[in-house]
Amino acid sequence: MRKKKHLTIDEKRDWLACVFRDTSGEYSQADKFKAMAEDTRLAMLQDEQQDAPQAAASALPELSLLSHLPPPLAPPADAEKS
């Protein structure tokens, strides 16, 4: 199996949580704040990705209903002669 090149959003969020919860003093308060801000951004991105398939699925039934409509009726022959 080929080694993954990039981290998943969950893996990134786990690492950011470790930075934010650091008690050893390895990370400064600024680093912790940046980790919290980045985690919030990733959480919003993750929510958008989860909502996108639902939004696309809700739009599809409308399109499929339109494809099942019959063609428009031809105008009556009397209306064309007037």
Side-chain angles (χ1 to χ4, degrees), residues 35-54:
M36 181 182 63
E38 184 65 17
D39 181 60
T40 303
R41 188 185 71 77
L42 287 173
M44 290 172 50
L45 180 65
Q46 196 171 29
D47 285 344
E48 288 174 9
Q49 287 179 349
Q50 290 173 352
D51 292 343
Q54 293 172 354

Side-chain angles (χ1 to χ4, degrees), residues 5-34:
K5 194 172 189 178
H6 302 286
L7 297 174
T8 64
I9 290 177
D10 287 330
E11 291 169 333
K12 290 175 186 177
R13 291 190 71 201
D14 289 342
W15 181 79
L16 290 168
C18 291
V19 170
F20 184 72
R21 294 184 182 126
D22 176 59
T23 56
S24 68
E26 182 178 354
Y27 299 102
S28 68
Q29 290 296 324
D31 292 334
K32 291 179 181 183
F33 180 79
K34 290 175 188 176

Side-chain angles (χ1 to χ4, degrees), residues 58-72:
S58 67
L60 289 178
E62 294 172 7
L63 294 176
S64 64
L65 288 175
L66 292 176
S67 67
H68 292 293
L69 290 176

